[in-house]
């Protein structure tokens, strides 16, 4: 009798939960608990069957949502091609006639717009419950790092991998160029692309590009860098300076957020934060503050703050990209061969020989490895 008196409220709660967070029920234990609750509630409604009907509709919608997501993940898994490891076959640099990014797109603004397209498409597949995995897995396994938690859901893992692939692609495009003059041009091009990403509000691509240019095989090319006009690059690095918990970046992000809130067009609404920093913010917010207050009550202030940050992030992911899609450029960005770290060093040493004993030892080891493989 008591259960019957508030069964309608239970059904309403479950309906809202399954509609807002359907992927909570991918877990077999959660689905079993849902079935047990709905079975008990259904037994209290033998008269007119309204509760039974509502539960049947709710269950059907939930199963459809879960099926749709599983199909999407299977499709992405098929389409996802592993990055090519050139380390085992690279003996000399590719011919100068081989296509590079400048042969596909020589306009930094256009490339920044296409990167923004890819970012928004990938980030739109991330759901609130994916982000809450960071918190829930930290509760179950008290680890002192958060990157491992990114593999708990495919969407987070795929988006994290995209950042790494873009960084490695930038490094590959620079290191594979034969002539110093062209390498200089390539570096200046990517600096301009990163600056355009910053202006758009695409901080994730901007950070990935900077990371790629700061990788050791690229950073060590001193003769090439000496020809680069680095003033623009210095400004970008200033924005992404890690000191004071990335204070400069957070100021820029706040400015982009305010612009987005006041925006009249989709172009001005774009905010794509550096995803790894966003994840770490959620991680530390959860780590620093307790779930319960000293009196035993739930620490709602903590969870409201986590909720606010996730809600803000989800608002950014729902912005429609205003730029026209260029399939040719996107195809290159997503499928161009990427060198392994070993191959990057080989290409880098071929461009500019080792300058100290440490580099000479590294180069000797790499050459020996290649000869053994051959």
């Amino acid at each position: 009798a008591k259960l019957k008196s508030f069964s309608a409220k239970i059904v309403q709660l479950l309906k809202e939960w399954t509609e807002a967070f359907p992927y909570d029920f991918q877990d077999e234990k959660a689905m079993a608990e849902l079935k047990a609750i709905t079975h008990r509630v259904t037994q209290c409604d033998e008269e007119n069957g309204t509760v039974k009907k509502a539960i049947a509709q709710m269950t059907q919608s939930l199963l459809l949502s879960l099926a749709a997501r599983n199909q999407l993940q299977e499709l992405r898994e098929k389409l996802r091609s592993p990055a090519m490891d050139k380390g085992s076959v690279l003996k000399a640099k590719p011919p100068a006639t081989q296509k590079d990014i400048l042969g596909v797109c020589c306009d930094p603004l256009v490339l920044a717009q296409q990167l923004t397209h890819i970012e928004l498409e990938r980030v739109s597949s991330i759901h609130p419950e994916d982000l809450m995995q960071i918190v829930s897995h930290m509760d179950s396994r008290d680890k002192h790092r958060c990157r491992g938690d990114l593999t708990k859901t495919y969407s987070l893992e795929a988006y994290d991998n995209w950042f790494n692939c873009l960084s490695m692609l930038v490094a590959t495009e620079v290191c594979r160029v034969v002539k110093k003059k062209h390498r200089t041009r390539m570096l200046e091009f990517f600096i301009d692309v990163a600056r355009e990403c910053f202006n758009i509000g695409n901080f994730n691509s901007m950070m990935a590009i900077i990371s790629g240019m700061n990788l050791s095989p690229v950073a060590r090319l001193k003769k090439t860098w000496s020809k680069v006009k680095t003033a623009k690059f210095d400004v970008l690095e200033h924005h992404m300076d890690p000191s004071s918990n990335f204070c400069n970046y957070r100021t820029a992000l706040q400015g982009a957020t305010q612009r987005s809130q006041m925006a009249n067009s989709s172009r001005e609404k774009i905010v794509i934060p550096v995803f790894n920093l966003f994840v770490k913010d959620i991680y530390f917010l959860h780590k620093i503050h307790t779930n319960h207050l000293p009196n035993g009550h739930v620490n709602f202030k903590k969870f409201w703050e986590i909720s606010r940050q996730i809600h803000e992030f989800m608002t950014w992911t729902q912005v429609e990209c205003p730029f026209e899609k260029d399939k040719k450029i996107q195809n290159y960005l997503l499928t161009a061969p990427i060198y392994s770290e070993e191959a990057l060093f080989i290409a880098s040493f071929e461009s500019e020989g080792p300058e100290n004993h440490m580099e000479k030892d590294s180069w000797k080891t790499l050459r020996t490895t290649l000869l053994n493989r051959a």
Side-chain angles (χ1 to χ4, degrees):
K2 283 182 180 180
L3 185 60
K4 187 177 180 180
S5 67
F6 58 87
S7 60
K9 290 183 179 180
I10 294 175
V11 173
Q12 181 63 25
L13 170 63
L14 293 175
K15 182 174 180 291
E16 290 187 17
W17 186 353
T18 54
E19 285 177 355
F21 301 99
Y23 311 123
D24 279 357
F25 298 92
Q26 285 185 124
D27 182 68
E28 289 182 12
K29 185 180 177 183
M31 184 61 87
E33 290 179 355
L34 177 66
K35 287 178 180 178
I37 293 169
T38 53
H39 177 69
R40 286 190 63 190
V41 173
T42 304
Q43 288 181 319
C44 301
D45 184 49
E46 296 177 352
E47 297 172 9
N48 51 27
T50 53
V51 170
K52 189 175 182 180
K53 186 178 179 182
I55 288 173
Q57 289 175 343
M58 176 195 75
T59 305
Q60 185 179 12
S61 296
L62 175 60
L63 293 174
L64 286 171
S65 295
L66 292 176
R69 183 170 196 181
N70 288 335
Q71 287 174 3
L72 184 62
Q73 288 190 4
E74 286 174 10
L75 178 63
R76 282 181 176 150
E77 201 64 44
K78 288 177 183 177
L79 293 175
R80 184 173 64 170
S81 56
M84 291 179 67
D85 184 351
K86 292 283 184 176
S88 58
V89 295
L90 186 70
K91 294 180 183 177
K93 288 214 171 185
T97 54
Q98 187 171 325
K99 186 188 288 185
D100 59 22
I101 188 67
L102 287 172
V104 179
C105 176
C106 59
D107 187 333
L109 176 58
V110 173
L111 190 65
Q113 290 174 346
Q114 295 310 307
L115 287 170
T116 303
H117 244 300
I118 294 171
E119 292 278 355
L120 287 173
E121 281 181 5
R122 299 208 165 204
V123 81
S124 66
S125 66
I126 295 175
H127 301 277
E129 58 271 22
D130 295 328
L131 297 170
M132 285 305 295
Q133 292 284 344
I134 301 161
V135 174
S136 62
H137 283 289
M138 202 166 64
D139 282 337
S140 60
R141 297 178 184 180
D142 189 25
K143 292 185 177 180
H144 295 285
R145 57 188 179 89
C146 60
R147 283 187 61 83
D149 294 321
L150 293 182
T151 61
K152 301 301 180 184
T153 67
Y154 178 77
S155 297
L156 297 184
E157 181 190 9
Y159 194 49
D160 192 45
N161 286 342
W162 155 247
F163 181 97
N164 297 330
C165 285
L166 180 55
S167 293
M168 294 297 282
L169 176 63
V170 169
T172 300
E173 291 291 323
V174 174
C175 289
R176 69 200 282 261
V177 177
V178 178
K179 296 181 180 178
K180 183 171 66 177
K181 183 180 177 181
H182 292 162
R183 279 198 305 278
T184 302
R185 186 184 170 206
M186 188 69 75
L187 280 170
E188 290 181 339
F189 174 72
F190 276 120
I191 290 169
D192 286 338
V193 174
R195 188 176 64 164
E196 294 295 350
C197 286
F198 177 84
N199 293 336
I200 289 171
N202 180 359
F203 299 107
N204 201 57
S205 288
M206 174 193 171
M207 179 67 103
I209 292 169
I210 293 172
S211 297
M213 288 191 284
N214 280 327
L215 289 174
S216 296
V218 180
R220 66 166 296 278
L221 298 171
K222 293 178 182 178
K223 293 176 184 176
T224 305
W225 277 103
S226 68
K227 301 294 182 181
V228 175
K229 297 172 184 175
T230 56
K232 294 176 187 175
F233 189 62
D234 293 340
V235 171
L236 293 174
E237 289 212 301
H238 172 75
H239 286 307
M240 293 299 168
D241 184 356
S243 61
S244 300
N245 192 21
F246 290 89
C247 178
N248 297 336
Y249 158 69
R250 294 182 189 283
T251 302
L253 180 64
Q254 188 177 8
T257 302
Q258 290 173 352
R259 179 192 67 188
S260 177
Q261 291 168 349
M262 304 288 288
N264 296 316
S265 66
S266 297
R267 168 66 182 80
E268 296 172 320
K269 287 181 181 178
I270 296 172
V271 182
I272 305 172
V274 178
F275 188 62
N276 279 336
L277 292 181
F278 173 78
V279 167
K280 286 174 183 175
D281 285 347
I282 298 295
Y283 173 85
F284 286 112
L285 185 60
H286 179 64
K287 189 76 177 173
I288 292 168
H289 302 286
T290 58
N291 289 350
H292 295 89
L293 300 172
N295 61 6
H297 293 178
V298 172
N299 186 356
F300 277 102
K301 187 176 180 181
K302 165 189 171 175
F303 289 106
W304 275 119
E305 181 56 26
I306 291 176
S307 175
R308 183 192 67 77
Q309 292 198 21
I310 290 178
H311 180 268
E312 190 172 51
F313 181 84
M314 298 315 299
T315 302
W316 295 332
T317 66
Q318 291 160 17
V319 173
E320 188 176 342
C321 190
F323 311 123
E324 188 176 344
K325 190 173 184 178
D326 189 313
K327 290 184 179 179
K328 184 180 177 183
I329 297 173
Q330 290 206 14
N331 184 60
Y332 186 88
L333 288 169
L334 295 170
T335 63
I338 297 173
Y339 286 5
S340 66
E341 188 177 355
E342 180 188 67
L344 285 174
F345 271 110
I346 293 169
S348 179
F349 285 132
E350 284 183 346
S351 296
E352 295 182 20
E355 292 190 348
N356 53 50
H357 290 298
M358 189 179 293
E359 286 193 344
K360 286 177 182 177
D361 289 342
S362 297
W363 182 217
K364 187 178 179 180
T365 303
L366 285 170
R367 290 172 68 181
T368 303
T369 303
L370 276 184
L371 287 170
N372 290 338
R373 285 177 185 171

